[in-house]
Amino acid sequence: MSDTVETTETDAWVPDEDAGVEDEPKPQELPFGPDFVRGVHTELYRILGAPGSETELQGVAGGEWNLVTQGRASEENVLKAYASVSGFPVLDEDDAGSLDAFPEVTFDYLSNWVAVPISWNEKTTTVAVAQPYSLGLLAYQWRAMFGRDVVFTLARRTFVERLLGTLYDTSFTEEEEFNWQGDNSEQALRDMAREAPIVRLVNDMFNRAVEMESSDIHVEPGEDQLAIRYRIDGVLHTVQTHPISHYPAIASRVKLLGGLNIAEHRLPQDGRIDLRIGTMEMDVRVSTVPTMHGESIVLRLLQKELSHFDFENLGLGADMRGMFEKLVKMPHGMILVVGPTGSGKTTTLYCVMRMLNSDTRKIITIEDPVEYQLPGLTQIQVRSQIGLSFASGLRSIVRQDPDVILVGEIRDRETAEIAIHAALTGHLVLSTLHTNDAAGAISRLLEMGVESFLISSALLCVLSQRLIRKICDECSGTGMQSAGAGERKCRNCGGTGYKGRVGIFELLNLSDDLRRAINDRRDSTEIAAIGRRHGMRTLREDGEEKVKRGVTTPAEIARVCQLDAVIE
Ligand SMILES: [Zn+2]
């Protein structure tokens, strides 16, 4: 392998006296030749988990970018392969915050090389490149033009292209840009959406979202900037910003992929994209809504991977899990999972479905929307436009001889009564309600007008839940990692200190005392008190237990409980 050189990106960096680092970077060995290209391809396929497939690229330098354009590899994957085979350092994008344009070099020259100068002094220029080919020639030309040696560092292609656009590209005058944006004919938008840099940029957006385990991508046009935010573990983060001039092309690309009307800008639209990234298949729901500065686009990423619907990962404590598993295996009765939107109710129910799913049981669901498709289940999508509501769907489901019925949500008395009737006539019925706590579910059903004796005889239990963020394993929640002599932002959690989520739960098991209290229409405070007398642990107590075990922080429990205050 070649000689690795640590480049310094800022002037403020001072070498440690004892570290034996020289002031001037050593000359880099520039990668060259077919062996290097083959090495990159072998490494890339190893990273993608498909070793031996490198013959596909036929040893063509740059062929790896076809995989990025097709969405089969991310820029990050390609960058890792380049770095490991060439031994070149990788630019830390956070450190390259505010850069100046290198004087006397043109946009055309740099974009031809997909290269951008990062820092320079009299003798050397550090240049970030998106691919490590023919660098000997670039170094030679640079020396001839500017009398400086070049030190190379690798960077993501979209990052280099964005810097080139903002620092060097003077080709768009304001007037031209206005004309470009103004051409909203369908053909112009379609052409724009198929241009390679736009295709790469949008694919990169999906790839990064998957790498960061994001659940939603928000594309938000503002007055002069386009912000791309990712929801990670329930919290939004701005990950990229682009000049607003990129917006029409990005929006058109997303709309094209989502099967939306590309020329329609005034009405909300919905669509979906089947996405494959590496070996992972995703179902993406696209929603657009017109705003002051263009359409706001939200992309919801749904993993088709079923392994995460595993009881193990839910976060139910051993005792509660044992009790809940026993209840969901009952032949009939009703089980409710409650909590606000985004509290993980659907995931819990899919875990139950996955556990109950077998040849000997017929499981029918009615959902709005069907979020995940589980093989072996009969899943029905609510379509209110044609009169297929929860209630009407449920009526038909009962006639299909099911063992288990999942009703996505109980919103009204009619649905509640059909569901309870089904639970009393030999079916196991699972559903959700939007209430804050387990006891509240019973009051909600009473408020809907459901008879108290129906509730007390059908209901088996109510599980209330929230999702809390887990402390990052890599940095133990500090958000920082040691790097050489200093510290850097933790890459695993992006500096937030949290990675992944887990549930906190409250399980109200229906005892005889409780059934009597329901028959007497007692209020939720009394119901909760009876539950606690029979050993129910509250959400907050379960949260505190998880703080004690080092799973999460008191701040996170406080944040989730504060959210509750807003809901109430
Ligand atoms: Zn971390």
Side-chain angles (χ1 to χ4, degrees):
M1 282 307 115
S2 61
D3 206 357
T4 310
V5 176
E6 288 293 331
T7 58
T8 62
E9 264 109 43
T10 58
D11 297 335
W13 186 83
V14 180
D16 192 314
E17 268 183 81
D18 303 324
V21 182
E22 289 152 38
D23 276 315
E24 284 303 316
K26 283 178 275 179
Q28 285 168 304
E29 190 182 306
L30 302 178
F32 176 75
D35 283 349
F36 172 70
V37 178
R38 275 195 293 270
V40 166
H41 293 170
T42 306
E43 177 64 7
L44 177 60
Y45 278 100
R46 192 193 61 77
I47 292 168
L48 295 176
S53 310
E54 56 272 17
T55 46
E56 182 193 6
L57 299 180
Q58 301 178 333
V60 177
E64 56 278 10
W65 287 97
N66 294 335
L67 299 188
V68 179
T69 305
Q70 293 160 16
R72 291 161 59 196
S74 70
E75 285 196 61
E76 204 81 24
N77 297 148
V78 172
L79 195 62
K80 272 183 200 150
Y82 286 157
S84 102
V85 183
S86 69
F88 277 14
V90 175
L91 180 72
D92 190 331
E93 291 179 16
D94 298 334
D95 293 347
S98 59
L99 296 177
D100 294 324
F102 190 85
E104 295 169 65
V105 64
T106 65
F107 172 73
D108 286 344
Y109 180 80
L110 291 173
S111 54
N112 194 29
W113 281 104
V114 202
V116 67
I118 297 296
S119 63
W120 51 88
N121 58 31
E122 267 109 73
K123 284 188 192 150
T124 57
T125 310
T126 300
V127 175
V129 285
Q131 50 183 32
Y133 302 124
S134 312
L135 296 182
L137 180 59
L138 174 54
Y140 170 79
Q141 290 175 344
W142 200 269
R143 215 175 297 121
M145 290 189 294
F146 308 111
R148 289 177 172 99
D149 285 329
V150 179
V151 175
F152 291 104
T153 176
L154 293 162
R156 286 189 316 117
R157 184 168 190 145
T158 36
F159 182 74
V160 173
E161 282 173 348
R162 180 160 62 79
L163 283 181
L164 286 177
T166 49
L167 294 173
Y168 296 89
D169 190 2
T170 52
S171 64
F172 280 121
T173 64
E174 262 176 44
E175 199 182 338
E176 273 170 336
E177 200 165 338
F178 181 74
N179 283 338
W180 182 46
Q181 281 198 40
D183 188 1
N184 278 342
S185 73
E186 192 170 338
Q187 195 51 48
L189 292 169
R190 262 178 208 286
D191 291 347
M192 206 157 62
R194 292 202 172 100
E195 283 181 24
I198 293 302
V199 171
R200 266 203 307 273
L201 201 145
V202 171
N203 282 347
D204 182 58
M205 181 176 85
F206 284 125
N207 277 312
R208 290 186 99 188
V210 170
E211 268 161 22
M212 297 170 89
E213 292 169 40
S214 155
S215 59
D216 305 79
I217 305 173
H218 294 233
V219 180
E220 299 166 330
E223 206 169 338
D224 44 29
Q225 259 196 345
L226 172 67
I228 298 186
R229 298 200 287 169
Y230 292 171
R231 189 176 292 282
I232 301 164
D233 295 336
V235 180
L236 276 172
H237 300 271
T238 302
V239 173
Q240 286 163 305
T241 54
H242 296 279
I244 195 69
S245 57
H246 287 178
Y247 170 71
I250 294 175
S252 301
R253 177 77 200 153
V254 171
K255 287 163 85 176
L256 193 70
L257 289 171
L260 306 183
N261 179 350
I262 202 163
E264 174 59 72
H265 306 281
R266 293 161 307 173
L267 293 172
Q269 296 189 69
D270 293 306
R272 53 183 297 265
I273 304 171
D274 266 323
L275 195 67
R276 229 192 111 180
I277 290 171
T279 54
M280 201 186 296
E281 285 185 61
M282 317 265 303
D283 186 8
V284 182
R285 301 295 156 91
V286 187
S287 148
T288 72
V289 171
T291 71
M292 289 296 289
H293 303 290
E295 288 153 291
S296 159
I297 303 173
V298 175
L299 300 148
R300 163 147 275 214
L301 308 178
L302 303 168
Q303 269 196 44
K304 289 187 178 171
E305 183 64 48
L306 299 176
S307 61
H308 76 278
F309 295 125
D310 195 333
F311 249 98
E312 294 274 337
N313 309 328
L314 277 181
L316 274 167
D319 49 342
M320 234 194 278
R321 187 176 148 191
M323 205 188 292
F324 189 61
E325 276 191 33
K326 211 170 78 193
L327 289 162
V328 299
K329 283 177 181 157
M330 300 287 245
H332 55 85
M334 182 149 117
I335 290 173
L336 291 173
V337 180
V338 306
T341 307
S343 56
K345 301 188 292 286
T346 309
T347 304
T348 301
L349 287 177
Y350 277 101
C351 285
V352 174
M353 292 296 132
R354 200 163 169 252
M355 190 172 72
L356 296 179
N357 194 4
S358 80
D359 275 352
T360 56
R361 279 196 194 92
K362 186 174 179 85
I363 304 179
I364 308 186
T365 77
I366 180 154
E367 302 164 79
D368 186 20
V370 173
E371 285 198 25
Y372 303 90
Q373 291 178 29
L374 298 189
L377 267 63
T378 306
Q379 292 175 282
I380 302 168
Q381 163 82 51
V382 165
R383 288 184 207 284
S384 43
Q385 315 91 299
I386 57 165
L388 180 54
S389 63
F390 278 120
S392 65
L394 197 49
R395 249 187 257 281
S396 312
I397 287 174
V398 179
R399 291 193 290 267
Q400 290 266 314
D401 186 31
D403 297 289
V404 182
I405 303 172
L406 169 71
V407 186
E409 192 188 336
I410 293 178
R411 292 179 193 154
D412 52 58
R413 176 180 175 176
E414 195 186 1
T415 312
E417 286 185 345
I418 308 168
I420 287 177
H421 186 74
L424 289 172
T425 52
H427 308 98
L428 182 73
V429 179
L430 296 119
S431 191
T432 72
L433 270 178
H434 272 253
T435 62
N436 269 344
D437 54 26
I442 291 158
S443 335
R444 175 63 52 85
L445 289 173
L446 289 170
E447 281 164 27
M448 280 180 188
V450 181
E451 291 292 344
S452 57
F453 71 92
L454 286 178
I455 302 171
S456 67
S457 34
L459 201 58
L460 294 171
C461 70
V462 185
L463 183 74
S464 167
Q465 73 171 90
R466 299 289 184 281
L467 289 176
I468 49 153
R469 292 181 294 167
K470 291 196 288 183
I471 294 172
C472 170
D473 293 336
E474 304 252 317
C475 64
S476 310
T478 59
M480 301 300 284
Q481 270 173 335
S482 56
E487 279 196 316
R488 64 151 69 238
K489 203 162 78 179
C490 171
R491 293 211 188 266
N492 189 43
C493 63
T496 58
Y498 295 102
K499 181 78 178 178
R501 284 192 294 179
V502 73
I504 52 173
F505 300 92
E506 173 179 297
L507 180 63
L508 183 69
N509 196 351
L510 261 73
S511 59
D512 289 343
D513 284 0
L514 256 174
R515 291 185 201 280
R516 271 193 295 275
I518 294 170
N519 280 339
D520 296 346
R521 301 182 69 93
R522 298 288 168 77
D523 67 13
S524 55
T525 321
E526 266 185 83
I527 301 271
I530 298 168
R532 286 179 62 70
R533 275 208 297 281
H534 284 85
M536 180 181 82
R537 203 161 57 202
T538 64
L539 278 174
R540 187 181 280 274
E541 283 164 349
D542 194 37
E544 279 159 6
E545 176 65 31
K546 287 191 165 88
V547 170
K548 246 185 255 165
R549 292 203 346 254
V551 175
T552 191
T553 62
E556 184 63 7
I557 301 297
R559 182 183 75 92
V560 171
C561 292
Q562 214 172 4
L563 288 180
D564 283 355
V566 179
I567 293 157
E568 269 165 344

